[in-house]
Amino acid sequence: MNLKRYLLTPGPTPVPPETSLAMAQPILHHRSPVFMEILGQVREGLKYLFQTEQEVLILASTGTGAMEGAVANLLSLGDTALVVDGGKFGERWLALCNVYGIKVDRLAVEWGRAVDPQEVARRLDARPEIRAVFVQANETSTGVQHPVKQLAEVVTPRPNTVLVVDAISALGGYELPMDEWQLDVVVAGSQKAMMLPPGLAFAALSPKAWEFVKTSTLPKFYFDFSKQLKSQNKNQTPYTSAVTLVLGLQEVLARVKNEGLEKIFARNRKLSAATKAAVQAMGLELYAKDYPSVVLTAVLAPPGIDGQQVVARLREKYGIWIAGGQAQAKGKIFRLAHMGYIDELEILGTIGALEVVLNDLGYPVAPGVGLRAAQEILAKEA
Ligand SMILES: *Cc1c(COP(=O)(O)O)cnc(C)c1O
């Protein structure tokens, strides 16, 4: 039988049907007045989502493209950067810096832990030549949120250093006001909390970060942020716009504006609390020891059970797609996402299914124990 599919992975995430329909429209020409008007609306909507007055660059790539662009546009050969490495995506900043010949001061953070802003301050004091601090807002591989607000408080007073935040799984999922918190660079992607298919990446830069761009000498072509900015100011993109995805983005931004960020964030907090309470009621532990993520829940698999088996069985028996662990966490954990177009029914269904699957695999769970914990939280008024 072809099972109905439920996508609860931390990217990609489900797309609302209205958004899919918007993307079914005939292809527009990217230099046509009608498309330029849409791009103008999208530029405004992105400012609301990023909570910034700065231009949000719209790139046709996955999130990693904007990460690469951030490195290539801010720094110069031989510069030094501090990289917070607390998971698979922290490692990506390291790899990017290495490729571009950036000297790296690696701040290793134990998986499941958040970075200590005081440690970042000590490193910056010790090495004033550090030009950029690279970090994840939400380290998707471990389900931990790094305290970027506090990191910004450390970095902002230093004129020689910018804070670059990979918010690919965070933006649109929880509070991350770029201007208010003085984040210098915020990078996002379409296929996580933004409810779109993969294929768009975003980057917004503070005035301080744009000053860094002026002096950067690293090579760049497609991901040249200055060229992108100049073009967007004319409601265009330098190369062919990803017109279909931009139509979807227009629909999503209208949806976000209509519901309001506050409500979206409150919903995610509630779904997160329900999911976390449910797995804990089943006797399971969260993988995150500090700042558990609001957009996904990473759970330690019970002793003797491989996390990948939980993932596979949910998929085979119920059509529910969750994620396993990556690299050193592979087999040790499984991860459930609750961001974007995910509702209470899907969370309750997944928790109920998880109870069955854990019993199947030999870990005893009293039927309904997780569901009850989740229901109690979901029943509370926001
Ligand atoms: C998904 C993700 C990425 C990578 O994004 P791609 O879209 O696959 O390039 C980077 N960082 C974080 C934190 C992510 O969750």
Side-chain angles (χ1 to χ4, degrees):
M1 191 180 80
N2 285 326
L3 288 172
K4 211 164 157 175
R5 272 178 295 137
Y6 302 90
L7 193 56
L8 283 93
T9 51
T13 65
V15 174
E18 297 83 357
T19 309
S20 298
L21 270 178
M23 291 186 290
Q25 295 175 66
I27 300 295
L28 292 168
H29 194 277
H30 58 292
R31 307 287 180 219
S32 62
V34 56
F35 182 75
M36 286 164 66
E37 194 183 320
I38 290 168
L39 204 70
Q41 286 172 22
V42 161
R43 288 171 59 210
E44 282 312 304
L46 284 169
K47 288 178 185 172
Y48 172 73
L49 179 64
F50 276 68
Q51 296 176 264
T52 186
E53 286 176 10
Q54 303 306 315
E55 183 72 12
V56 180
L57 307 179
I58 308 163
L59 306 159
S61 74
T62 66
T64 306
M67 292 173 74
E68 174 160 356
V71 173
N73 283 271
L74 291 163
L75 301 176
S76 299
L77 193 63
D79 276 355
T80 306
L82 179 67
V83 172
V84 175
D85 177 10
K88 200 66 199 153
F89 295 104
E91 284 172 11
R92 191 160 301 176
W93 281 133
L94 276 185
L96 281 164
C97 286
N98 286 333
V99 162
Y100 280 94
I102 300 304
K103 292 181 208 136
V104 170
D105 186 354
R106 172 174 175 259
L107 202 173
V109 176
E110 189 192 327
W111 283 39
R113 293 272 182 201
V115 70
D116 173 6
Q118 289 320 308
E119 178 59 22
V120 172
R122 279 191 288 277
R123 298 265 183 130
L124 294 179
D125 287 340
R127 297 183 70 178
E129 73 273 22
I130 291 174
R131 295 279 286 163
V133 176
F134 291 102
V135 69
Q136 272 60 44
N138 182 68
E139 176 49 80
T140 319
S141 63
T142 62
V144 170
Q145 289 176 199
H146 289 301
V148 290
K149 181 174 191 258
Q150 287 81 350
L151 292 177
E153 285 162 8
V154 168
V155 175
T156 301
R158 299 166 200 260
N160 189 43
T161 314
V162 283
L163 177 65
V164 184
V165 179
D166 164 5
I168 293 173
S169 61
L171 194 96
Y174 60 89
E175 196 59 30
L176 204 73
M178 173 171 167
D179 288 359
E180 189 191 321
W181 289 2
Q182 295 187 279
L183 311 175
D184 291 310
V185 180
V186 174
V187 168
S190 53
Q191 81 275 26
K192 312 263 167 109
M194 288 180 74
M195 305 176 275
L196 285 164
L200 288 180
F202 307 93
L205 282 71
S206 69
K208 182 180 174 186
W210 279 114
E211 286 301 313
F212 276 52
V213 172
K214 284 187 192 157
T215 61
S216 159
T217 59
L218 284 177
K220 48 211 157 254
F221 189 81
Y222 181 78
F223 294 110
D224 184 328
F225 285 0
S226 310
K227 202 164 52 185
Q228 184 76 27
L229 176 67
K230 213 170 140 201
S231 199
Q232 283 193 202
N233 281 333
K234 295 181 278 184
N235 284 337
Q236 304 226 356
T237 57
Y239 311 107
T240 312
S241 311
V243 287
T244 301
L245 288 168
V246 170
L247 287 174
L249 177 60
Q250 181 191 28
E251 204 283 330
V252 156
L253 290 170
R255 164 186 289 269
V256 166
K257 189 77 200 271
N258 192 38
E259 184 174 5
L261 286 176
E262 288 307 317
K263 273 197 188 158
I264 293 172
F265 298 158
R267 179 176 61 248
N268 290 348
R269 281 197 298 273
K270 200 168 183 184
L271 295 178
S272 170
T275 306
K276 287 170 177 62
V279 294
Q280 286 170 326
M282 294 182 216
L284 302 175
E285 267 178 63
L286 301 184
Y287 187 56
K289 296 194 189 82
D290 313 310
Y291 301 107
S293 170
V294 164
V295 288
L296 81 149
T297 299
V299 187
L300 273 172
I305 295 177
D306 189 318
Q308 297 299 114
Q309 283 179 287
V310 178
V311 174
R313 208 163 168 89
L314 276 172
R315 187 176 65 230
E316 285 155 14
K317 195 161 182 172
Y318 293 102
I320 299 172
W321 287 69
I322 65 166
Q326 297 165 283
Q328 60 169 273
K330 193 165 181 133
K332 286 212 270 185
I333 65 172
F334 54 89
R335 296 174 296 147
L336 297 141
H338 27 72
M339 60 176 117
Y341 193 61
I342 295 282
D343 63 12
E344 295 188 8
L345 184 74
E346 286 164 298
I347 293 298
L348 287 171
T350 300
I351 289 163
L354 181 61
E355 291 180 354
V356 175
V357 161
L358 289 171
N359 277 304
D360 289 351
L361 293 172
Y363 176 76
V365 177
V369 69
L371 276 173
R372 182 185 177 143
Q375 286 165 344
E376 278 169 4
I377 287 178
L378 295 178
K380 285 184 200 143
E381 287 304 316

